């Protein structure tokens, strides 16, 4: 297996895009290639994600992207794994480059949904769950995660303030991130006063509906020995799965897929959670960040709420979590989210994160979940 | 039924079961796992050694949420509860409960029962504790 590097990464500001998904991803892909000091013609394969392209009456976006980049002959394919789509695309790119099937691959994800109303967007998102056995009984995505939060609260006594501490922290981090959808801090009072969406989850427990585009360029170390920016070495690239319907799993207080992926990723990278300088985790809802910290092995089950309330996961804490602001506040344009996490890690490794810079970064972990955990990716990045 | 799964009900038959036939169809795997979710192999043990069974129509709340923002098919029903129910004699299913406005009205472990004939979705209602006790041996 060849050593694989992330040599470039870029995103636009998540939130509301005026341009189409196609225009946004083409500019962002060029920017990512620019960070790597590469021209589009060095790309040998494009892995694209655009789960809800149909909302723009568009499928098969890969050839449009490559055509727009002036590389129409380059093969492309669409990788869909719900909210973990671009981390799945990154894994495919990793496999291609590590295995010698491509030297340079482009990973690109984009979503544009802001022209839909709340009801329509909610219906699109629900398509990631099991229609006849979950969502046809009225579940929305906030509702599915709320059910997990309800079980977590009942088992461990997790409080509203503990959930709120995730939201307050991530909004504070996003306030220092020019790419973030929300750039204003929130207070615990505002959190507690925000309307219930699906009990116990309030408005400020939820990620927003965001548009956005993000792209990552991966290359074999041997073909880019001197990239334009500090590269990320992919120390582990792991995908996992678990029983799709959460009510058929043995537990409702964590995501088995996260546990499976984490165990394998730490083995692959030959490190332990103690070695990780910071994490970008899948906090589509505040409860998801708490479960992620527990399932990834950073704190025992039921204790992530206390850990977060103590400040241990703030940027100046013991192990910063979601310095970007996370899905909660940076935003969650489904197919751009996984690549967006890598953009944060790339900027951190290149000391470009401004007020949210984590000092002394050695290893960073990215965790990205598909729907309620039917699929999951864990990537671990280190220095060359 | 060792080895054979040919007679398992379809997804459509599951839906027709609770919508029209007042029954909850499911399967019981040789490993002990009971579920309503369609598949050709048991998701827990991977084997096809399972038998068709009717699940109990009574059970207890395993987890729930009260949704104020509805899904499109439940537009006129909000707020309502989305519930996971541990059925008596095994199996956990998802369903919903109309008319629930706040989470204080429900609690994990509360007895519920299937309410036939209401569309869409698998509907449950609260069973008063007295009724639940008298139905139990
Ligand atoms: C929570 C949710 C229903 C709110 O959506 P909405 O009702 O359409 O919200 P609106 O667009 O009407 O926004 C109302 C206000 O709240 C703000 N807002 C919306 N969503 C927000 C969020 N998640 N967090 C913080 N603020 C939010 C808006 O900016 C707006 O503020 P303003 O009045 O100052 O402009 C929606 O964001 C949601 O469902 N999120 C989850 C998305 C999801 O399931 N993703 C997949 C996860 S795996």
């Amino acid at each position: 297996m060849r050593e694989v590097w992330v040599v470039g990464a870029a995103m636009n500001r998540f939130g509301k895009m005026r341009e189409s998904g196609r225009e946004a991803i083409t500019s962002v892909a060029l920017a990512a290639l620019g960070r790597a000091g590469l021209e589009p013609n060095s790309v040998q394969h494009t892995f694209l994600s655009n789960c809800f392209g149909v909302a723009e009456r568009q499928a098969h976006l890969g050839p449009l992207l490559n055509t727009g980049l002036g590389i129409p002959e380059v093969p492309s394919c669409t990788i869909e794994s719900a909210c973990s789509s671009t981390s799945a695309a990154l894994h495919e790119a990793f496999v291609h480059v590590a295995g010698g099937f491509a030297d340079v691959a482009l990973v690109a994800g984009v979503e544009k949904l802001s022209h839909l109303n709340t009801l329509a967007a909610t219906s699109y998102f629900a398509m990631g769950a099991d229609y006849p056995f979950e969502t046809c009984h009225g579940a929305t995505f906030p509702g599915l995660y709320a059910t997990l939060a309800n079980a977590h609260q009942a088992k461990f006594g997790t409080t509203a303030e503990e959930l709120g501490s995730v939201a307050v922290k991530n909004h504070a981090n996003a306030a220092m991130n020019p790419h973030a959808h929300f750039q204003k801090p929130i207070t615990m009072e505002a959190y507690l006063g925000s309307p219930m969406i699906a009990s116990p989850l309030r408005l400020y427990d939820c990620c927003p509906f965001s548009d956005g585009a993000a792209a990552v360029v991966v290359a074999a170390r041997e073909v880019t020995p001197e990239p334009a920016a500090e590269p990320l070495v992919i120390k582990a690239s792991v995908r996992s799965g678990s029983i799709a319907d959460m009510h058929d799993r043995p537990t409702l207080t964590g995501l088995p897929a996260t546990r499976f992926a984490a165990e394998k990723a730490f083995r692959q990278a030959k490190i332990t959670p103690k070695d990780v300088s910071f994490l970008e985790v899948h906090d589509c809802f505040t409860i998801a960040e708490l479960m992620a910290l527990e399932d990834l092995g950073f704190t025992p089950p039921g204790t992530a709420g206390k850990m977060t309330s103590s400040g241990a996961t703030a940027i100046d804490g013991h192990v910063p979590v979601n310095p970007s602001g996370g899905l909660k506040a940076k935003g969650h344009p489904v197919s751009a989210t996984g690549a967006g996490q890598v953009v944060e890690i790339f900027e951190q490794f290149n000391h470009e994160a401004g007020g949210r810079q984590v000092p002394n970064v050695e290893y960073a972990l990215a965790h990205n979940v598909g729907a309620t955990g039917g699929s999951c990716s864990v990537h671990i990045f280190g220095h060359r | 039924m060792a080895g054979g799964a040919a007679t398992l009900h379809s997804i459509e038959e599951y839906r027709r079961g609770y919508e029209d036939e007042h029954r909850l169809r499911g399967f019981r795997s040789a490993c002990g796992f009971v579920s309503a979710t369609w598949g050709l192999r048991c998701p827990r043990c991977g084997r096809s050694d399972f038998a068709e069974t009717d699940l109990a129509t009574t059970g207890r709340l395993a987890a729930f949420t009260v949704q104020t923002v509805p899904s499109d098919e439940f537009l006129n029903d909000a707020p309502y509860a989305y519930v996971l129910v541990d059925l008596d004699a095994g199996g956990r299913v998802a369903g919903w409960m109309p008319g629930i406005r706040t989470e204080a009205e429900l609690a994990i472990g509360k007895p519920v029962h299937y309410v036939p004939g209401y569309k869409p979705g698998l509907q449950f209602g609260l069973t008063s504790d007295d009724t639940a006790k008298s139905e139990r041996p």
Side-chain angles (χ1 to χ4, degrees), chain A residues 93-246:
Chain A
F94 169 83
V95 168
H96 265 67
V97 174
F101 293 97
D103 289 332
V104 177
L106 174 63
V107 175
V110 61
E111 218 69 78
K112 181 175 166 102
L113 280 165
S114 64
H115 54 292
L116 304 178
N117 61 27
T118 307
L119 195 64
T122 299
S123 308
Y124 270 94
F125 283 113
M127 290 178 197
D130 183 344
Y131 180 71
F133 294 96
E134 294 180 310
T135 37
C136 91
H137 310 295
T140 59
F141 247 90
L144 292 169
Y145 273 91
T147 312
L148 298 173
N150 172 252
H152 201 274
Q153 290 192 317
K155 182 158 180 198
F156 300 117
T158 308
T159 64
E161 285 78 5
E162 287 172 354
L163 292 172
S165 65
V166 174
V168 171
K169 167 182 70 72
N170 289 354
H171 273 273
N173 294 353
M176 296 181 282
N177 186 351
H179 307 305
H181 186 152
F182 296 123
Q183 299 185 11
K184 278 200 200 119
I186 61 162
T187 61
M188 184 61 84
E189 291 65 45
Y191 164 82
L192 291 169
S194 69
M196 273 299 175
I197 301 296
S199 69
L201 301 182
R202 300 168 157 83
L203 176 67
Y204 285 159
D205 285 294
C206 303
C207 63
F209 300 131
S210 313
D211 302 333
V216 170
V217 182
V218 301
R221 175 176 54 103
E222 58 211 57
V223 301
T224 48
E226 281 311 321
E230 182 58 22
L232 310 177
V233 178
I234 303 183
K235 296 283 185 184
S237 175
V238 173
R239 291 278 297 159
S240 67
S242 82
I243 294 180
D245 292 75
M246 59 194 207

Side-chain angles (χ1 to χ4, degrees), chain A residues 119 123 131-134 136-140 143-144 146-147 150 154 196-199 243 245 247-250 252, chain B residues 11 14 18 35-38 44 63-69 71-74 80 82 84 92 94 96 103 108 121-122:
Chain A
L119 195 64
S123 308
Y131 180 71
F133 294 96
E134 294 180 310
C136 91
H137 310 295
T140 59
L144 292 169
T147 312
N150 172 252
M196 273 299 175
I197 301 296
S199 69
I243 294 180
D245 292 75
H247 58 263
D248 284 330
R249 297 180 198 149
L252 288 175
Chain B
I11 293 175
Y14 173 69
Y18 67 78
S35 176
T37 311
W38 186 86
R44 292 278 184 93
F64 64 89
T65 175
V66 180
Q67 292 187 177
T68 39
V69 176
S71 72
D72 56 349
E73 292 176 295
F74 289 69
Y80 59 91
Y82 174 72
L84 303 186
R92 179 179 282 171
W96 75 293
E103 56 182 333
I108 290 176
L122 172 56

Side-chain angles (χ1 to χ4, degrees), chain A residues 18 25 42 70-71 115 149 153 165 251 258 363:
Chain A
R18 230 174 271 154
I25 193 56
S42 51
I71 49 170
H115 54 292
Q153 290 192 317
S165 65
T251 176
T258 300
Y363 292 99

